[in-house]
Amino acid sequence: EAKAEEAAPVAAAPLFAAPSGGEQDKLTKLKGIGPVAEKQLNEQGIMTYAQIAALTEDEIIKVDEYMPFSADQIKDWQAQAKELIKD
C-alpha cells in the first residue's frame, strides 16, 4: 500500500526557473537560511542571491503561499542578498 506523501503543498513544477549554466550561490550565507531552507529554495529553482534580490512583490507572495517562509523573511533575505551582490 503506497503511503501518501506528508509534505506541505508545493507546486507541481518548481516555482522559478533555475539559472542556466548551473550557477549557484551559497544561500546559507543569508541570515535565517540554513541547509534545509537552502535545499527547499533550490528545489523551487532559487539558486542565486541575484534571484532573491530580484523577486517581485507577486513572487514574494507566491513563495509565502507555497513554501514555509513568510513574506517578511523573504524581504529580509532580499535586503541581505542585495548587499552581497554589491560586494
Side-chain angles (χ1 to χ4, degrees):
E1 182 177 315
K3 186 178 174 195
E5 274 193 48
E6 295 172 15
V10 174
L15 296 175
F16 301 94
S20 57
E23 186 184 334
Q24 191 166 351
D25 289 322
K26 193 79 180 134
L27 300 183
T28 54
K29 284 187 176 178
L30 300 178
K31 185 173 178 274
I33 298 182
V36 172
E38 180 180 50
K39 181 175 184 277
Q40 291 171 323
L41 290 165
N42 289 169
E43 286 171 352
Q44 293 305 319
I46 299 174
M47 307 283 184
T48 67
Y49 305 135
Q51 283 178 287
I52 293 172
L55 289 173
T56 66
E57 193 67 36
D58 286 346
E59 289 170 335
I60 289 172
I61 291 167
K62 189 190 318 184
V63 172
D64 186 12
E65 286 176 359
Y66 287 100
M67 299 185 74
F69 312 119
S70 72
D72 287 341
Q73 274 180 302
I74 299 157
K75 288 175 183 173
D76 182 48
W77 298 341
Q78 194 171 44
Q80 293 179 60
K82 288 176 182 173
E83 288 301 312
L84 284 170
I85 293 168
K86 279 196 262 180
D87 291 346

